[in-house]
mmCIF file of all heavy atoms in Angstrom:
data_model
loop_
_atom_site.group_PDB
_atom_site.id
_atom_site.type_symbol
_atom_site.label_atom_id
_atom_site.label_comp_id
_atom_site.label_asym_id
_atom_site.label_seq_id
_atom_site.Cartn_x
_atom_site.Cartn_y
_atom_site.Cartn_z
ATOM 1 N N TYR B 48 -10.484 15.696 6.295
ATOM 2 C CA TYR B 48 -11.460 15.256 7.289
ATOM 3 C C TYR B 48 -10.856 15.435 8.678
ATOM 4 O O TYR B 48 -9.634 15.462 8.833
ATOM 5 C CB TYR B 48 -11.864 13.808 7.034
ATOM 6 C CG TYR B 48 -12.565 13.625 5.705
ATOM 7 C CD1 TYR B 48 -11.911 13.014 4.637
ATOM 8 C CD2 TYR B 48 -13.862 14.087 5.510
ATOM 9 C CE1 TYR B 48 -12.531 12.869 3.412
ATOM 10 C CE2 TYR B 48 -14.490 13.942 4.287
ATOM 11 C CZ TYR B 48 -13.813 13.339 3.243
ATOM 12 O OH TYR B 48 -14.427 13.207 2.023
ATOM 13 N N PRO B 49 -11.680 15.546 9.693
ATOM 14 C CA PRO B 49 -11.172 15.787 11.043
ATOM 15 C C PRO B 49 -10.068 14.814 11.428
ATOM 16 O O PRO B 49 -10.202 13.595 11.265
ATOM 17 C CB PRO B 49 -12.425 15.613 11.905
ATOM 18 C CG PRO B 49 -13.554 15.979 10.999
ATOM 19 C CD PRO B 49 -13.151 15.499 9.641
ATOM 20 N N ASN B 50 -8.972 15.376 11.899
ATOM 21 C CA ASN B 50 -7.829 14.604 12.386
ATOM 22 C C ASN B 50 -7.181 13.709 11.328
ATOM 23 O O ASN B 50 -6.608 12.663 11.655
ATOM 24 C CB ASN B 50 -8.230 13.746 13.593
ATOM 25 C CG ASN B 50 -8.711 14.604 14.749
ATOM 26 O OD1 ASN B 50 -8.079 15.598 15.098
ATOM 27 N ND2 ASN B 50 -9.847 14.241 15.300
ATOM 28 N N GLN B 51 -7.294 14.126 10.078
ATOM 29 C CA GLN B 51 -6.669 13.356 9.004
ATOM 30 C C GLN B 51 -5.821 14.267 8.123
ATOM 31 O O GLN B 51 -5.859 15.498 8.257
ATOM 32 C CB GLN B 51 -7.732 12.652 8.163
ATOM 33 C CG GLN B 51 -8.496 11.583 8.916
ATOM 34 C CD GLN B 51 -9.421 10.803 8.004
ATOM 35 O OE1 GLN B 51 -9.169 10.666 6.802
ATOM 36 N NE2 GLN B 51 -10.490 10.278 8.571
ATOM 37 N N GLY B 52 -5.067 13.650 7.245
ATOM 38 C CA GLY B 52 -4.276 14.402 6.289
ATOM 39 C C GLY B 52 -5.124 14.888 5.130
ATOM 40 O O GLY B 52 -6.345 14.768 5.135
ATOM 41 N N LEU B 53 -4.469 15.458 4.136
ATOM 42 C CA LEU B 53 -5.181 15.983 2.976
ATOM 43 C C LEU B 53 -5.332 14.912 1.906
ATOM 44 O O LEU B 53 -4.399 14.163 1.626
ATOM 45 C CB LEU B 53 -4.417 17.171 2.378
ATOM 46 C CG LEU B 53 -4.637 18.498 3.062
ATOM 47 C CD1 LEU B 53 -3.886 18.574 4.371
ATOM 48 C CD2 LEU B 53 -4.210 19.653 2.154
ATOM 49 N N GLN B 54 -6.494 14.907 1.301
ATOM 50 C CA GLN B 54 -6.804 13.951 0.245
ATOM 51 C C GLN B 54 -7.226 14.718 -0.999
ATOM 52 O O GLN B 54 -8.024 15.654 -0.920
ATOM 53 C CB GLN B 54 -7.944 13.036 0.717
ATOM 54 C CG GLN B 54 -8.399 12.004 -0.282
ATOM 55 C CD GLN B 54 -9.542 11.173 0.256
ATOM 56 O OE1 GLN B 54 -9.984 11.326 1.380
ATOM 57 N NE2 GLN B 54 -10.059 10.273 -0.568
ATOM 58 N N LEU B 55 -6.704 14.330 -2.140
ATOM 59 C CA LEU B 55 -7.042 15.029 -3.379
ATOM 60 C C LEU B 55 -8.489 14.727 -3.776
ATOM 61 O O LEU B 55 -8.888 13.573 -3.871
ATOM 62 C CB LEU B 55 -6.102 14.577 -4.494
ATOM 63 C CG LEU B 55 -6.328 15.246 -5.847
ATOM 64 C CD1 LEU B 55 -5.953 16.725 -5.777
ATOM 65 C CD2 LEU B 55 -5.523 14.546 -6.939
ATOM 66 N N LEU B 56 -9.257 15.791 -4.006
ATOM 67 C CA LEU B 56 -10.632 15.653 -4.480
ATOM 68 C C LEU B 56 -10.690 15.645 -6.006
ATOM 69 O O LEU B 56 -11.350 14.812 -6.605
ATOM 70 C CB LEU B 56 -11.470 16.834 -4.000
ATOM 71 C CG LEU B 56 -12.307 16.716 -2.735
ATOM 72 C CD1 LEU B 56 -13.061 18.014 -2.529
ATOM 73 C CD2 LEU B 56 -13.257 15.536 -2.810
ATOM 74 N N LEU B 57 -10.030 16.620 -6.597
ATOM 75 C CA LEU B 57 -10.007 16.745 -8.052
ATOM 76 C C LEU B 57 -8.925 17.742 -8.450
ATOM 77 O O LEU B 57 -8.404 18.464 -7.607
ATOM 78 C CB LEU B 57 -11.373 17.184 -8.584
ATOM 79 C CG LEU B 57 -12.053 18.390 -7.930
ATOM 80 C CD1 LEU B 57 -11.497 19.705 -8.413
ATOM 81 C CD2 LEU B 57 -13.561 18.349 -8.184
ATOM 82 N N LYS B 58 -8.644 17.755 -9.761
ATOM 83 C CA LYS B 58 -7.621 18.658 -10.267
ATOM 84 C C LYS B 58 -7.959 19.080 -11.688
ATOM 85 O O LYS B 58 -8.586 18.328 -12.437
ATOM 86 C CB LYS B 58 -6.245 17.998 -10.239
ATOM 87 C CG LYS B 58 -6.160 16.719 -11.058
ATOM 88 C CD LYS B 58 -4.845 15.986 -10.810
ATOM 89 C CE LYS B 58 -4.822 14.648 -11.544
ATOM 90 N NZ LYS B 58 -3.636 13.836 -11.200
ATOM 91 N N TYR B 59 -7.540 20.275 -12.034
ATOM 92 C CA TYR B 59 -7.645 20.762 -13.400
ATOM 93 C C TYR B 59 -6.223 20.999 -13.917
ATOM 94 O O TYR B 59 -5.474 21.800 -13.351
ATOM 95 C CB TYR B 59 -8.438 22.066 -13.486
ATOM 96 C CG TYR B 59 -8.354 22.673 -14.858
ATOM 97 C CD1 TYR B 59 -9.123 22.169 -15.910
ATOM 98 C CD2 TYR B 59 -7.458 23.707 -15.136
ATOM 99 C CE1 TYR B 59 -9.010 22.692 -17.183
ATOM 100 C CE2 TYR B 59 -7.346 24.227 -16.414
ATOM 101 C CZ TYR B 59 -8.118 23.717 -17.426
ATOM 102 O OH TYR B 59 -8.006 24.227 -18.694
ATOM 103 N N LEU B 60 -5.907 20.306 -15.001
ATOM 104 C CA LEU B 60 -4.598 20.488 -15.630
ATOM 105 C C LEU B 60 -4.760 21.129 -17.005
ATOM 106 O O LEU B 60 -3.997 22.028 -17.382
ATOM 107 C CB LEU B 60 -3.880 19.150 -15.747
ATOM 108 C CG LEU B 60 -3.711 18.360 -14.428
ATOM 109 C CD1 LEU B 60 -2.998 17.053 -14.693
ATOM 110 C CD2 LEU B 60 -2.964 19.194 -13.399
ATOM 111 N N SER B 61 -5.717 20.629 -17.757
ATOM 112 C CA SER B 61 -5.995 21.160 -19.090
ATOM 113 C C SER B 61 -7.270 20.505 -19.582
ATOM 114 O O SER B 61 -7.845 19.654 -18.913
ATOM 115 C CB SER B 61 -4.843 20.881 -20.056
ATOM 116 O OG SER B 61 -4.710 19.482 -20.260
ATOM 117 N N GLY B 62 -7.729 20.920 -20.775
ATOM 118 C CA GLY B 62 -8.866 20.253 -21.381
ATOM 119 C C GLY B 62 -10.186 20.791 -20.870
ATOM 120 O O GLY B 62 -10.347 21.990 -20.644
ATOM 121 N N SER B 63 -11.142 19.898 -20.676
ATOM 122 C CA SER B 63 -12.489 20.299 -20.269
ATOM 123 C C SER B 63 -12.451 21.121 -18.999
ATOM 124 O O SER B 63 -11.771 20.774 -18.030
ATOM 125 C CB SER B 63 -13.355 19.060 -20.057
ATOM 126 O OG SER B 63 -14.601 19.419 -19.505
ATOM 127 N N THR B 64 -13.226 22.189 -19.005
ATOM 128 C CA THR B 64 -13.206 23.079 -17.835
ATOM 129 C C THR B 64 -14.041 22.543 -16.681
ATOM 130 O O THR B 64 -13.935 23.044 -15.567
ATOM 131 C CB THR B 64 -13.726 24.470 -18.227
ATOM 132 O OG1 THR B 64 -15.041 24.341 -18.782
ATOM 133 C CG2 THR B 64 -12.798 25.124 -19.249
ATOM 134 N N LEU B 65 -14.866 21.556 -16.946
ATOM 135 C CA LEU B 65 -15.652 20.932 -15.879
ATOM 136 C C LEU B 65 -14.928 19.660 -15.454
ATOM 137 O O LEU B 65 -14.754 18.736 -16.244
ATOM 138 C CB LEU B 65 -17.063 20.617 -16.358
ATOM 139 C CG LEU B 65 -17.984 20.018 -15.288
ATOM 140 C CD1 LEU B 65 -18.187 20.996 -14.138
ATOM 141 C CD2 LEU B 65 -19.328 19.625 -15.904
ATOM 142 N N VAL B 66 -14.544 19.638 -14.206
ATOM 143 C CA VAL B 66 -13.744 18.531 -13.704
ATOM 144 C C VAL B 66 -14.557 17.781 -12.657
ATOM 145 O O VAL B 66 -15.107 18.392 -11.744
ATOM 146 C CB VAL B 66 -12.446 19.047 -13.051
ATOM 147 C CG1 VAL B 66 -11.614 17.882 -12.542
ATOM 148 C CG2 VAL B 66 -11.645 19.876 -14.038
ATOM 149 N N LYS B 67 -14.606 16.483 -12.804
ATOM 150 C CA LYS B 67 -15.327 15.666 -11.813
ATOM 151 C C LYS B 67 -14.325 14.980 -10.899
ATOM 152 O O LYS B 67 -13.270 14.515 -11.338
ATOM 153 C CB LYS B 67 -16.206 14.642 -12.524
ATOM 154 C CG LYS B 67 -17.363 15.306 -13.286
ATOM 155 C CD LYS B 67 -18.380 14.302 -13.745
ATOM 156 C CE LYS B 67 -19.480 14.983 -14.568
ATOM 157 N NZ LYS B 67 -20.243 15.959 -13.769
#
Side-chain angles (χ1 to χ4, degrees):
Chain B
Y48 296 106
N50 299 313
Q51 294 187 28
L53 278 76
Q54 179 181 358
L55 181 68
L56 264 182
L57 49 79
K58 59 189 175 187
Y59 171 78
L60 305 179
S61 65
S63 173
T64 57
L65 183 62
V66 180
K67 292 192 183 297

